[in-house]
């Protein structure tokens, strides 16, 4: 028994080649909502949202259940296709290649991973799956956005197909279709370039040049911009009758570059972060399900050594199969031993090289590089990991423009404009839970050694404050000295404090060094405030007390606290309180040594005076 499903046109199903009656358009919409997420549970609420949008029927859930019952009766009851109830939703289990949408995506991956006429055959097969407008029976926001996403993927596939066909010398047969496509997309420079090249190779140089001037006029009048460097370069080549533009009809295109798999090795002893991993996955599910018309950007923030990169890499490796067109990675060195963060220009150039662009083909201007990069990844399912970012300016040129891509950004700063302008989902990391910290020790040192000294294990967790880097450093000490009991390491840490977590030769293995990199972007005044907070009495501090401690105006104190919060050096807690992790406070106290002694003494006197007068006022209020 052969079952096939169609989404790239009307929603349909065939059993051994015979159409299956799928019922009412909304009932077909329920099937479509399940097929998009085949083999993944879809909640009842999400089904209602996908099929009815903001206008569900008064008895929406009952109607949905009726549709599901009818679909279960209409679909063949075999091991190949099963519609089952899951907690809070439903799961449609089947071979994804029986669904034309998933087959379309697989063929595109194969086509882009091969070369020559075989790639053209695969592109032809993929594009031949389209029968009309997808999800035409549904007008919900989900369906509209998903329809637009698929249409962009189809256009990207058509453009990639044309690239290879032109390299094969098939300009004559392409020409009519290219002219029609250019009429549908009058501002698309890649479409215009294809038509210009086909016209030129067909002996119609004057028409190719005229087309360039028409496109240029539209861009200037409509967008206020000139054509990009690639189109202008083609224009110059046509003017000069560059021999490079001539391709024989039998020419076989070069083998495309291999799919980029740039992710560094996954952390072997990654522990916990279950909620954070689930949040990242939920964001991706929402985006790939058509809830977002723009590229998904998740920004992971937190203090140095809190585990941002480990979380990003662990999630990226777990979900690499969702991005078959490749994964790009760059360390932007926003906070590292080197003084110079990576320039966006250099990062984009590196991505272009990874995507197969020859060095002499890389544009000179950053905007042109970024535009070419976005064109190359358009419609592809790619993951871009931007590690250790310091500023939004570093990140923006590296953002794809296609909603089929996803971006993970890690950084100590909150990158506010990335959240405001690009809708980045911010995920702030805190220290590990007790169970996660214990699991880290077990993963590094073995269950037997940890279980043999439960008291020392708890001491290590408490003294490290469940801080991931501190725990990793202590397990490194214990691992390299396997005969010593854990109690001795806890005693050393209690006595030596930060010195036990330092490493003179390897800054990346030193907690004080890692924390010090967060101070580089701060002003001298903000660094001084950081040091004074490290020696202030009490586990946390309120804003008025902080103003007394620093001796600054209200506005300057607020700016300093916000700068330290943005750099993930202090936490803003309920009730207007500001606090530091104990290890960060210990480091801040050492940094207070740089503050002149008279300033330190005056600061402590001022904050104690503040507390004294506050307590006196409170006592006077309670007992006048």
């Amino acid at each position: 028994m052969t079952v096939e499903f169609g989404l790239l046109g009307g929603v349909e199903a065939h059993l051994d080649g015979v159409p299956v009656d799928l019922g009412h358009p909304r009932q077909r919409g329920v099937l479509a909502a399940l097929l998009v997420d085949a083999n993944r549970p879809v909640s009842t609420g999400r089904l209602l949202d996908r099929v009815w949008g903001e206008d569900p029927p008064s008895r929406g859930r009952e109607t949905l259940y009726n549709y599901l019952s009818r679909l279960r009766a209409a679909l063949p009851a075999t091991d190949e296709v099963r519609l089952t109830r899951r907690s809070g939703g439903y799961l449609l289990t089947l071979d994804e290649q029986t669904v034309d949408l998933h087959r379309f995506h697989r063929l595109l991956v194969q086509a882009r991973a091969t070369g020559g006429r075989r790639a053209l055959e695969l592109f032809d097969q993929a594009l031949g799956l389209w029968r009309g407008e997808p999800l035409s029976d549904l007008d919900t926001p989900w369906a509209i956005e998903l329809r637009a996403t698929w249409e962009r993927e189809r256009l990207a596939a058509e453009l990639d197909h044309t690239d290879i066909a032109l390299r094969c010398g098939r300009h004559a047969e392409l020409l009519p279709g290219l002219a029609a496509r250019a009429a549908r997309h009058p501002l698309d420079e890649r479409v215009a370039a294809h038509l210009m090249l086909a016209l030129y190779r067909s002996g119609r140089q004057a028409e190719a040049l005229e087309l360039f001037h028409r496109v240029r006029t539209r861009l200037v009048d409509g967008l206020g911009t000139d054509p990009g460097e690639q189109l202008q370069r083609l224009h110059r080549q046509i003017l000069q009758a560059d021999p490079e533009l001539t391709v024989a009809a039998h020419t076989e295109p070069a083998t495309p570059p291999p799919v980029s798999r740039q992710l560094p090795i996954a952390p072997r002893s990654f522990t916990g972060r279950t909620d954070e991993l689930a949040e990242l996955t939920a964001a991706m599910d929402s985006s790939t399900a058509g809830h977002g018309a723009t590229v998904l950007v998740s920004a992971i923030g937190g203090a140095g050594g809190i585990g941002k990169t480990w979380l990003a890499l662990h999630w990226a490796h777990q979900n690499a199969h969702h991005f078959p067109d490749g994964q790009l990675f760059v360390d932007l060195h926003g906070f590292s031993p080197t003084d110079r963060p990576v320039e966006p220009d250099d990062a984009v150039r590196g991505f272009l090289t990874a995507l197969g662009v020859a060095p002499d083909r890389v544009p000179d201007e950053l905007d042109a590089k970024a535009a070419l990069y976005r064109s190359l990844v358009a419609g592809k399912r790619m993951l871009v990991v931007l590690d250790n970012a310091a500023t939004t300016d570093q990140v923006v040129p590296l953002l794809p423009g296609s909603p089929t891509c996803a971006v993970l950004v890690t950084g100590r700063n909150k990158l506010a404009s990335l959240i405001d302008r690009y809708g980045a989902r911010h995920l702030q990391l805190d220290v590990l839970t007790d169970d996660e910290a214990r699991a880290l020790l077990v993963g590094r040192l073995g269950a037997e050694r940890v279980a043999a000294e439960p008291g020392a294990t708890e001491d290590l967790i408490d003294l490290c404050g469940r801080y991931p880097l501190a725990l990793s450093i202590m397990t490194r000490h214990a691992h390299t000295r396997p005969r010593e009991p854990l109690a001795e390491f806890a005693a050393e840490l209690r006595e030596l404090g930060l010195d036990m977590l330092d490493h003179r030769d390897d800054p990346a293995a030193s907690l004080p060094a890692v924390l010090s990199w967060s101070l580089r972007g701060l002003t001298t005044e903000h660094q001084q405030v950081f040091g004074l907070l490290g020696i202030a009495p009490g586990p946390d501090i309120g804003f008025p007390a902080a103003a007394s401690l620093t001796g600054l105006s209200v506005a300057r104190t607020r700016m300093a606290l916000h700068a330290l919060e943005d750099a993930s050096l202090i936490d803003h807690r309920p009730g207007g309180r500001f606090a530091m992790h104990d290890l960060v406070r210990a480091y801040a106290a050492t940094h207070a040594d740089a503050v002149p002694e008279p300033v330190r003494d005056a600061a402590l006197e001022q904050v104690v005076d503040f507390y004294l007068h506050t307590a006196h006022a409170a006592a006077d209020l309670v007992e006048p």
Side-chain angles (χ1 to χ4, degrees), residues 73-402:
L75 296 175
T78 68
D79 289 338
E80 285 73 27
V81 181
R82 294 193 307 276
L83 177 56
T84 55
R85 181 82 180 263
R86 288 296 171 91
S87 177
Y90 289 84
L91 172 68
L92 181 60
T93 306
L94 46 74
D95 178 0
E96 289 189 5
Q97 295 313 303
T98 62
V99 185
D100 58 2
L101 171 69
H102 302 306
R103 196 155 66 250
F104 172 73
H105 286 143
R106 180 178 61 83
L107 288 167
L108 292 187
V109 170
Q110 293 175 339
R112 287 163 177 154
T114 187
R117 287 177 169 77
R118 176 57 181 159
L120 291 178
E121 293 171 3
L122 292 168
F123 274 121
D124 285 335
Q125 291 177 35
L127 294 168
L129 295 172
W130 284 72
R131 295 171 285 105
E133 183 182 50
L135 306 179
S136 55
D137 294 328
L138 292 180
D139 58 356
T140 60
W142 171 78
I144 293 169
E145 291 180 2
L146 199 56
R147 199 154 46 231
T149 297
W150 293 350
E151 290 289 357
R152 284 192 292 269
E153 291 177 350
R154 179 185 186 181
L155 177 60
E158 290 174 342
L159 296 179
D160 288 348
H161 173 274
T162 302
D163 281 335
I164 299 175
L166 285 172
R167 290 201 296 270
C168 285
R170 292 170 55 175
H171 45 273
E173 62 183 274
L174 289 172
L175 199 51
L178 291 180
R181 189 182 300 159
R184 293 194 303 270
H185 305 279
L187 296 178
D188 192 309
E189 296 185 36
R190 192 176 174 195
V191 172
H194 286 160
L195 180 54
M196 286 171 59
L197 184 57
L199 287 169
Y200 175 76
R201 288 181 178 170
S202 300
R204 299 160 67 175
Q205 180 183 18
E207 293 179 56
L209 294 173
E210 182 183 350
L211 173 62
F212 174 81
H213 290 298
R214 287 203 306 270
V215 172
R216 182 180 183 278
T217 300
R218 290 192 194 106
L219 289 170
V220 171
D221 292 345
L223 303 177
T225 181
D226 282 322
E229 173 59 28
Q230 298 299 308
L231 195 62
Q232 294 195 43
R233 183 175 185 273
L234 177 60
H235 177 241
R236 291 193 298 270
Q237 288 179 296
I238 292 175
L239 285 172
Q240 299 163 5
D242 190 336
E244 184 181 321
L245 297 182
T246 303
V247 176
H250 64 275
T251 299
E252 187 77 13
T255 301
V259 176
S260 296
R261 310 284 187 195
Q262 294 189 329
L263 292 178
I265 186 171
R268 182 165 175 257
S269 55
F270 183 85
T271 300
R273 303 298 194 193
T274 304
D275 292 342
E276 291 83 355
L277 290 169
E279 187 170 338
L280 291 173
T281 300
M284 183 191 70
D285 288 346
S286 175
S287 177
T288 56
H291 289 288
T294 59
V295 61
L296 168 68
V297 182
S298 293
I300 304 172
I306 206 71
K308 301 179 295 297
T309 300
W310 276 31
L311 174 65
L313 288 179
H314 184 77
W315 186 89
H317 279 281
Q318 273 193 332
N319 292 273
H321 61 285
H322 291 299
F323 306 99
D325 294 326
Q327 303 94 40
L328 298 171
F329 177 92
V330 62
D331 184 350
L332 295 172
H333 292 292
F335 303 91
S336 70
T338 59
D339 292 328
R340 180 177 173 272
V342 173
E343 293 292 336
D345 194 281
D346 295 332
V348 179
R349 180 182 294 276
F351 280 179
L352 291 176
T353 301
L355 293 168
V357 179
D360 60 340
R361 298 282 183 171
V362 176
D364 294 328
E365 299 296 326
L366 174 59
D367 288 345
K369 288 187 182 75
L372 176 58
Y373 159 65
R374 289 192 295 271
S375 298
L376 291 174
V377 301
K380 296 183 178 180
R381 296 162 71 189
M382 298 191 73
L383 174 64
V384 182
V385 181
L386 309 176
D387 188 36
N388 205 1
T391 66
T392 301
D393 290 341
Q394 274 186 302
V395 171
V396 170
L398 302 172
L399 296 180
S402 173

Side-chain angles (χ1 to χ4, degrees), residues 4 23 27-28 30 102 128 135 140 173 188 227 296 336 376 392 401 425 432 441 479 503 533 535 575 579 582 595:
E4 291 187 336
Q27 185 170 304
R28 294 197 297 272
V30 173
H102 302 306
L135 306 179
T140 60
E173 62 183 274
D188 192 309
L296 168 68
S336 70
L376 291 174
T392 301
R425 300 165 186 254
L432 300 174
L441 294 180
H479 180 71
H503 196 295
L533 289 173
I535 61 173
D582 288 346
V595 180

